């Protein structure tokens, strides 16, 4: 699992992005388990994730951050990226961010895709 660390801080909330290759649901489960071994990620408010499997369709989880998984799916689909799990982690800072939270998810995914040379 490649962790890029904190990407964005806004009104107390912190966002990080991580990811790795995943070709099956079992790969996704193993990667998430590995990520959550880090206590900071295990204690995060949300670990939203998505992957488009080349032989199994799209998988996602909002983990309480309604709509975030679909945002990741759309970005992966738009860039033609498959078999790449992307996890956006948020530590809630006490203030609601409204629509800004989706812009932050997009910025995290964009950063990950650029860093991994996937776009």
């Amino acid at each position: 699992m490649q962790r890029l660390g904190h990407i964005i801080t806004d009104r107390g909330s912190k966002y990080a992005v991580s990811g790795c290759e995943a070709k099956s649901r079992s790969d996704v489960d193993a990667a998430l388990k590995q990520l959550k071994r880090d206590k900071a990620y295990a204690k995060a408010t949300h670990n939203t994730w998505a992957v488009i499997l080349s032989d199994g369709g799209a998988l996602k989880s909002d983990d309480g951050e309604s709509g975030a998984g679909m945002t990741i799916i759309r970005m992966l689909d738009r860039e033609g990226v498959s078999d790449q799990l992307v996890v956006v982690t948020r530590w809630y800072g006490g203030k609601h961010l409204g629509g800004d939270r989706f812009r932050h998810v997009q910025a995290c995914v964009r950063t990950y895709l650029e860093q991994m040379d996937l776009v």
Side-chain angles (χ1 to χ4, degrees):
M1 175 74 70
Q2 178 70 33
R3 293 182 215 168
L4 300 184
H6 291 116
I7 303 296
I8 296 167
T9 301
D10 182 5
R11 290 169 265 178
S13 286
K14 294 179 182 176
Y15 286 81
V17 65
S18 310
C20 65
E21 184 177 66
K23 295 186 180 227
S24 67
R25 178 60 198 236
S26 61
D27 288 349
V28 170
D29 292 340
L32 293 170
K33 185 176 179 180
Q34 176 191 1
L35 180 68
K36 291 178 183 179
R37 280 190 193 125
D38 181 322
K39 288 181 184 179
Y41 286 83
K43 291 181 179 182
T45 314
H46 309 285
N47 281 296
T48 59
W49 59 267
V51 60
I52 299 174
L53 301 174
S54 56
D55 64 352
L59 301 172
K60 67 178 176 62
S61 171
D62 292 334
D63 192 28
E65 186 80 284
S66 183
M70 197 64 210
T71 299
I72 300 169
I73 290 279
R74 280 192 215 106
M75 291 185 73
L76 293 173
D77 186 49
R78 190 177 316 126
E79 297 297 335
V81 174
S82 61
D83 298 328
Q84 191 71 37
L85 171 66
V86 178
V87 182
V88 176
T89 302
R90 178 183 180 190
W91 292 268
Y92 181 65
K95 294 187 178 162
H96 293 283
L97 302 181
D100 287 341
R101 64 193 172 101
F102 294 109
R103 284 187 282 284
H104 297 332
V105 169
Q106 291 171 336
C108 286
V109 173
R110 193 173 311 108
T111 298
Y112 180 81
L113 294 175
E114 288 170 357
Q115 291 290 319
M116 299 298 113
D117 290 324
L118 296 170
V119 291

